[in-house]
Amino acid sequence: MNDVSISGGRLLKRIFKLGSVGRDAEGLTRLAASDTDKLGRDQLVRWLQQAGLEVAVDRIGNIFGVWQPAPTRHMAPVMVGSHIDTVINAGMYDGCYGVLAGLEVIQSLKEQDFEPARPIVVAAFTNEEGVRFAPDMMGSLVYAGGLALNEALATIGTDGSILADELRRIGYAGDKAPGYMKPHAYVELHIEQGPILEREGRAIGAVENLQGISWRKITIDGTANHAGTTPISMRADAGYGAARITTYLRERARTSATQTVATVGCLTLEPNAINVIPSRATLTVDLRDPFEHRLREEEAALDDFLKRLAEEEALRISVETLSRSSPVSFSQDIVATVEAAAGKRGLSCRRMTSGAGHDAQMIAAVAPTAMIFVPSAGGISHNPAEHSSEADLIAGARVLLDVVCAIARR
Ligand code: HGY
Ligand code: MN
Ligand code: MN
């Protein structure tokens, strides 16, 4: 452990404050590059400035708070952070916790005259959630060189907007080249968003790997017809096709002996009229598995199913890949540092896989990376009921402090 301590009160106050930014009667929503995302970004920048950090923004809108004491200027930084964009009607901890705890760690180190051997940087990556602009983890993917900047900037959102225009409009089309600062190491603190830590009564998760994610958009074209006069045998019902795909995915995942999970999160029917057989259905499929070969098997099995379904039901089915990331393993050295830090603080800890996608999976391509999880109440996330206890939030931030000190001292 070290003699620097964080201010748990300041961290919690900022989490709750940021959790109120972009909230209305429907709930908390700060979709990437939206007006509410701007409000969240502006609030974060104010806090970074108050902490005396240099604020930098790159061309994909990633925000960095940089602390680089003069003797460290030529060194690669230790980077912490996550994201502050949210899903629709979100919880207030997903992403924001990791950014604000990272800020708290740096601000406390700075205030208590810690002398790092390296700069320490907190990052808030653009568009981690991918709800408005696919793919998800976009800002960190561009930062790590996994997606060309211009291709990302040209992305068209679900509302028809163009990301480049939106970043300019909200004032976060920065001037730094993505990747301009190659981290010496990256550590991301995040809520688990799943049930494991709470179920096992553990305080800390030392995350050593993260599962692969396949996002696809499926368009099913049938034939609009009269709901009353058209015999079932003469229908090309796009809505029925969508239902068959949803139940196929669920049954296959439910009965398989693997860890595969499958979700149909978006579904629209056209013309969406009570007495018209749908001519078109558009749906999204989110497939995940910790093993690449399993994920590929699931993608291939779905393709075969779609072919059969199209023939059986006289439908035309097309598939568009929205995002695809392979499973990622993190730095065993940093994972061990997380475990040691938790142990020294008497916090029960276990190694685990992340079911959710995170910016860490992208930054792992360019720097030794690992994650720290704290328990999610009821395993709930991407839901306004998302909650982690104040004690767990502070404990996680203290472990982040210890891990950063251990790496920054080396
Ligand atoms: O989809 C995910 O796992 C992350 O929340 N973007
Ligand atoms: Mn997140
Ligand atoms: Mn999320």
Side-chain angles (χ1 to χ4, degrees), residues 75-407:
M75 304 283 285
V78 179
M79 186 180 279
V80 294
S82 189
H83 62 95
I84 61 169
D85 65 301
T86 75
V87 295
I88 299 167
N89 197 9
M92 71 166 106
Y93 302 93
D94 177 359
C96 301
Y97 170 49
V99 173
L100 296 177
L103 167 58
E104 179 54 39
V105 162
I106 298 175
Q107 188 164 359
S108 301
L109 289 171
K110 194 165 178 293
E111 285 167 346
Q112 296 167 45
D113 302 324
F114 177 80
E115 290 181 2
R118 301 180 165 282
I120 308 178
V121 174
V122 57
F125 290 106
T126 294
N127 188 32
E128 189 276 348
E129 293 294 1
V131 170
R132 185 184 181 200
F133 300 98
D136 57 349
M137 285 75 79
M138 184 190 275
S140 48
L141 181 60
V142 170
Y143 195 85
L147 174 64
L149 172 66
N150 290 335
E151 191 182 334
L153 290 172
T155 305
I156 297 173
T158 50
D159 54 3
S161 60
I162 297 174
L163 180 57
D165 299 344
E166 287 294 276
L167 285 173
R168 256 194 305 276
R169 186 178 65 80
I170 67 167
Y172 283 91
D175 56 355
K176 299 288 188 195
Y180 81 104
M181 237 185 324
K182 187 177 176 309
H184 168 71
Y186 177 69
V187 187
E188 181 167 351
L189 174 62
H190 205 287
I191 54 171
E192 178 200 340
Q193 301 180 290
I196 296 169
L197 291 176
E198 183 186 60
R199 191 174 56 199
E200 295 185 5
R202 308 258 188 178
I204 297 290
V207 186
E208 55 183 350
N209 64 330
L210 190 147
Q211 62 182 347
I213 303 174
S214 163
W215 277 10
R216 292 160 143 193
K217 181 173 149 186
I218 298 179
T219 305
I220 307 167
D221 284 310
T223 310
N225 213 327
H226 195 294
T229 59
T230 313
I232 295 294
S233 62
M234 291 175 69
R235 296 186 179 208
D237 182 340
Y240 173 67
R244 284 280 303 275
I245 293 167
T246 306
T247 45
Y248 158 80
L249 287 165
R250 175 57 175 263
E251 275 314 289
R252 187 171 163 92
R254 190 181 65 80
T255 53
S256 89
T258 67
Q259 293 163 279
T260 306
V261 287
T263 311
V264 173
C266 306
L267 171 62
T268 55
L269 297 178
E270 295 170 35
N272 201 34
I274 186 167
N275 56 0
V276 180
I277 298 168
S279 53
R280 170 167 282 193
T282 309
L283 63 147
T284 58
V285 174
D286 177 321
L287 280 174
R288 308 197 191 196
D289 195 288
F291 298 100
E292 177 62 22
H293 72 281
R294 289 279 314 116
L295 196 52
R296 286 210 191 125
E297 278 167 20
E298 290 312 308
E299 288 172 319
L302 177 57
D303 289 341
D304 291 346
F305 175 75
L306 295 177
K307 274 195 197 86
R308 291 197 307 275
L309 178 66
E311 277 155 31
E312 279 168 31
E313 297 296 327
L315 298 169
R316 293 173 308 290
I317 300 178
S318 59
V319 181
E320 180 194 348
T321 297
L322 293 177
S323 166
R324 178 64 165 85
S325 51
S326 297
V328 169
S329 294
F330 291 139
S331 153
Q332 286 298 318
D333 180 37
I334 303 178
V335 173
T337 308
V338 171
E339 285 178 309
K344 278 199 196 115
R345 288 190 181 272
L347 296 167
S348 60
C349 174
R350 62 155 284 170
R351 291 186 174 220
M352 59 196 297
T353 297
S354 173
H358 296 289
D359 293 307
Q361 76 188 82
M362 303 307 177
I363 304 300
V366 294
T369 295
M371 294 189 74
I372 305 166
F373 277 173
V374 296
S376 289
I380 297 281
S381 184
H382 284 187
N383 177 320
E386 181 181 282
H387 178 73
S388 292
S389 74
E390 294 186 0
D392 285 342
L393 293 168
I394 292 171
R398 285 177 176 149
V399 170
L400 179 68
L401 170 75
D402 298 345
V403 172
V404 167
C405 287
I407 300 172

